[in-house]
Amino acid sequence: MAIDTAASESTMRPTHPLEALTAAEIETAMAVLREDGRLTDAARFAYFGLDEPPKDVVAGFAAGDPVERRVRVVIVPGPAADVVEGVVDVGGRAVQSWHELPGMRPAMLFEESFNAIVALNESPEWQAALAQRGITDQSKVQIDPWPPGSFGLALEEGRRISRCLAYYRETDTDNGYARPIEGLVGFVDVGRGEVLEVADHGVVPLPPERGGYLRDDVGPMRDDLKPIEITQPEGPSFTVDGNLVRWQRWSLRVAMDPYEGLVLHTIGYEDDGRVRPILHRASVSEMVVPYGHTGPMHNWKNAFDAGEWGLGRMANSLTLGCDCVGVVHYLDVTFGNERGDPYTIENAICMHEEDYSILWKHVDLHGGTTEVRRQRRLVISSIATVGNYEYGFYWYFYLDGSMQLEVKLTGVMSTMAVAEGDGAPNGAGNAELVAPQLAAPYHQHLFNVRLDFDVDGTANTVYEVDSVPEPGGPDNPLANAFTTEATPLATEKRAQRVVDPARSRVWKIVNPETHNHLGEPVGYKLVPASTPTLLASPESSVGRRAAFATRNLWVTPYRPDERRAAGDYPNQNSGGDGLPRWTAADRSIVDTDVVVWHTFGVTHIPRPEDWPVMPVESTGFLLAPVGFFDRNPALDVPPSPDHCDEGT
Ligand code: CU
């Protein structure tokens, strides 16, 4: 069942500075921009988002205060490699800032990607290359425009381009990735809709199997799954007011950015009658999918799916009973399209509660008591489809004060055709066969989350905490002892760190000014998973462009304009922007407003079981309180009344 606890947000005036942008605000921003006179007819729009107010404005805001609203917009003035960043004051109906950025490319635009497909379809060279492969019906060819990366080619210069790959679909509903049209890459100037080059690296026959995964493709469905129904007869335990969500002691604001996807603001926990801040803002700042294959069809593939496509722009409309089950509350999301018109993705964000096994338990053999409590979590999720892949983003909040981000990877792998009898799909050994004559190159999915911590206030310090053995000797006669080493990360360069599972390495964010009842500073720890860093060389193109992925941890002092780990414009960027540029100053990060950047993800060595559609693989991290509370904060969770409260 779906619930609707909030009125239609789009028709209401925002009552808080961090509420989501409305259609009316986007329309006003466009009207102001048109009146301003600097927009060209050819202009397109790569981004509309809330220009977030400074933190002190948010912190000082009281209900009923006037709300200032500004819209941030990225304008693409024409076909060249230029963008303009504008900020429009909606209430004052004025263009507040206008910055021209020559040589910068926006993310891939949908309209231009479509134009690239049209241009290739009309290209005689493209048609000839297809004909050489026996393909004459172009309606059976799926063209995927890819962000091209940055490799110093002459045709990249001064242009916004795409490299296009092609796949063969016998029918409309075929799985195109089952039959890559290997060897063929189309280079298109997407701004001008011109085919620049059709590169043909040689014909490889289409793989024989169609790789279907639809119900009709796979034969009889299993018929022995009994229903699981989730019911909450009294409704869920959370409330939604605009984009303010309250659940148990937690409170936070939920929004979606076109590039970052889900954005959570002002995450706090009510303790002793007051809301204690933990995070001002949390979001996925960037992600990259670098491919590890040596061949010319695949060695340039490095998709920045946040900054080059957009985890919000690609968000699905979610479906009850499929994407989320139980008592679900959806939030719609309003964005501006490339022509400047507002549009809505319905049910883009899903919220629900899940039972999550036990929270705590003890059987007291002496006292004869058995106490057990159920854990549950609030889930805030969205799913983005970026070309062949799906990424599900799931933020979890738990009864014990911990929170977590889980990213679920699914969809269809990017593939390559290999010649019959070519048992090893390539000499270098960086792809795996997943079906006859079909291989999937090795690749990684590396995400970077930006965590603007405010643990009980803005002045925080980050410690790296390792658990280490102590040498045997007079002080440790049985050589069993181990201890912890907590190292404050004093400056940005010293805070560029990697995981160390053998030392149970965690990073602890503490407020040095606020102490718990044991006299220790209150804190939260970031518990990383066993997670890789970038395997491509730091000197490679992707190594320079995705330098954020060479470390699992970065820490910076808060700056509102330092938002995305690879910079604001990763598309065709030659690299060095974002974290490496900002942290070159090696600023102090002690007892200040810190931002923690955590890179995590998976290295994907494809399996036959990942084909034709990949079962979910998970990655993520945990944030858990460390001395933030004086004791287990979930002692007051009552026993589940129907099942295990023997006293009633
Ligand atoms: Cu993968």
Side-chain angles (χ1 to χ4, degrees), residues 469-536:
E470 290 198 287
D475 294 336
N476 181 20
L478 299 187
N480 64 304
F482 57 91
T483 187
T484 54
E485 281 176 6
T487 310
L489 302 178
T491 69
E492 290 179 297
K493 285 187 178 166
R494 277 183 262 173
Q496 296 171 9
R497 310 297 299 165
V498 294
V499 297
D500 190 346
R503 293 181 160 223
S504 301
R505 176 169 292 169
V506 299
W507 294 292
K508 195 160 89 169
I509 299 90
V510 306
N511 185 324
E513 311 296 328
T514 308
H515 296 83
N516 59 30
H517 77 146
L518 302 172
E520 297 291 330
V522 299
Y524 261 74
K525 65 178 174 181
L526 192 169
V527 184
S530 180
T531 185
T533 49
L534 184 72
L535 289 167

Side-chain angles (χ1 to χ4, degrees), residues 620-634:
F621 63 92
L622 176 74
L623 298 177
V626 183
F628 188 80
F629 302 106
D630 288 341
R631 59 186 62 76
N632 179 346

Side-chain angles (χ1 to χ4, degrees), residues 62-80:
D65 285 355
V67 180
E68 277 186 31
R69 299 279 282 184
R70 289 182 303 275
V71 176
R72 179 169 286 276
V73 55
V74 175
I75 302 162
V76 186

Side-chain angles (χ1 to χ4, degrees), residues 122-262:
E122 291 172 356
S123 153
E125 291 122 291
W126 181 260
Q127 291 167 1
L130 291 175
Q132 225 190 336
R133 291 161 169 80
I135 301 168
T136 49
D137 182 354
Q138 284 183 266
S139 71
K140 293 184 174 178
V141 176
Q142 166 191 335
I143 296 174
D144 283 13
W146 274 67
S150 174
F151 297 94
L153 304 180
L155 55 70
E156 293 170 2
E157 222 160 283
R159 297 177 187 273
R160 293 189 277 117
I161 70 165
S162 170
R163 297 198 193 204
C164 299
L165 300 179
Y167 302 87
Y168 185 75
R169 300 171 85 111
E170 188 63 41
T171 68
D172 284 351
T173 57
D174 260 8
N175 177 0
Y177 303 105
R179 289 174 166 168
I181 301 174
E182 201 67 26
L184 200 52
V185 188
F187 291 77
V188 183
D189 181 327
V190 292
R192 300 178 179 89
E194 287 170 24
V195 175
L196 301 171
E197 185 186 335
V198 174
D200 193 339
H201 301 288
V203 177
V204 180
L206 293 178
E209 294 183 2
R210 288 167 66 173
Y213 53 84
L214 305 180
R215 189 187 305 204
D216 291 343
D217 295 327
V218 296
M221 297 281 111
R222 58 182 84 177
D223 61 3
D224 52 354
L225 280 170
K226 307 292 187 226
I228 296 179
E229 301 290 345
I230 313 292
T231 58
Q232 290 186 276
E234 296 174 31
S237 307
F238 60 84
T239 62
V240 183
D241 176 10
N243 68 348
L244 175 64
V245 179
R246 290 194 183 91
W247 178 77
Q248 293 296 296
R249 308 259 151 81
W250 291 99
S251 61
L252 62 145
R253 286 188 179 271
V254 180
M256 186 171 273
D257 178 84
Y259 295 126
E260 297 168 285
L262 282 174

Side-chain angles (χ1 to χ4, degrees), residues 62-134:
D65 285 355
V67 180
E68 277 186 31
R69 299 279 282 184
R70 289 182 303 275
V71 176
R72 179 169 286 276
V73 55
V74 175
I75 302 162
V76 186
D82 302 314
V83 297
V84 177
E85 290 179 344
V87 174
V88 178
D89 176 351
V90 173
R93 292 187 68 92
V95 176
Q96 197 173 62
S97 72
W98 179 277
H99 287 129
E100 297 180 5
L101 298 171
M104 239 19 136
R105 278 88 165 178
M108 300 284 287
L109 301 183
F110 300 140
E111 181 181 311
E112 294 184 346
S113 300
F114 182 74
N115 291 346
I117 293 169
V118 171
L120 273 176
N121 274 327
E122 291 172 356
S123 153
E125 291 122 291
W126 181 260
Q127 291 167 1
L130 291 175
Q132 225 190 336
R133 291 161 169 80

